[in-house]
Amino acid sequence: LVRAGEIVRDAYLLLPGYPSDPEYDVQLERVADRVGHGTVLLALDGDEVVGCLTFVTEPGSLYGDVGDPAGAVIRMFGVDRSRQGEGIGAQMLEWCIDDARGLGRARVWLHTIEQMVGAIRLYERRGFRRVPEHDQPFEGAVGLAYVLNL
């Protein structure tokens, strides 16, 4: 899981204008800490990890930051920077949506920040819509809330 943590960390920390938050930045890298609190989804190309996210479907999970018992939440999502634009993130997103549907969830939620321009395009193309009343303040940034009703 070390490589997965590096991918998630770099997906955030290497963004131009990323508002570093030392406590959260460490959490990004600690993928193993999220096992047991949600599904850690890895995208693989052969034996190589090329993407990672945490998918939370259980209400009350440590990483379920939305508080919607009928929803699922995508957290800490990153694709290897050298592989972005290949559809890896889109495939991971589809897996989450399909899994949420299969579990009978009504919605899929996520937060992102304005610096994640490519991710925002992906979410909006897939039909996620902004829900500003669920935005969350972070250290130096605002977590922009998005939801997809299933």
Side-chain angles (χ1 to χ4, degrees):
L1 293 177
V2 171
R3 179 66 185 132
E6 292 170 352
I7 288 169
V8 174
R9 177 201 65 210
D10 290 351
Y12 288 69
L13 270 62
L14 297 179
L15 284 169
Y18 174 74
S20 185
D21 173 351
E23 185 177 315
Y24 188 69
D25 297 348
V26 169
Q27 287 181 25
L28 292 171
E29 200 167 4
R30 291 187 174 164
V31 175
D33 291 353
R34 297 191 286 278
V35 173
H37 298 285
T39 299
V40 173
L41 179 65
L42 301 177
L44 302 173
D45 183 0
D47 292 338
E48 180 186 4
V49 177
V50 295
C52 178
L53 64 77
T54 301
F55 187 56
V56 179
T57 58
E58 294 302 317
S61 168
L62 178 63
Y63 293 95
D65 63 351
V66 178
D68 176 3
V73 182
I74 296 171
R75 297 286 314 272
M76 300 175 187
F77 188 175
V79 172
D80 186 302
R81 293 182 67 78
S82 69
R83 304 293 301 271
Q84 291 178 0
E86 295 180 19
I88 295 165
Q91 290 176 6
M92 295 175 74
L93 190 62
E94 285 305 314
W95 183 91
C96 292
I97 292 166
D98 290 345
D99 194 57
R101 263 196 198 103
L103 293 170
R105 298 291 180 252
R107 289 167 289 285
V108 177
W109 293 89
L110 59 87
H111 284 93
T112 190
I113 56 175
E114 66 183 353
Q115 290 84 352
M116 294 186 164
V117 175
I120 290 170
R121 277 195 309 266
L122 170 65
Y123 305 143
E124 290 178 348
R125 270 196 321 262
R126 184 53 186 86
F128 281 79
R129 65 176 175 77
R130 282 278 291 121
V131 190
E133 61 270 22
H134 288 277
D135 286 356
Q136 293 183 346
F138 296 132
E139 186 72 29
V142 174
L144 306 173
Y146 281 82
V147 68
L148 176 69
N149 291 308
L150 302 177

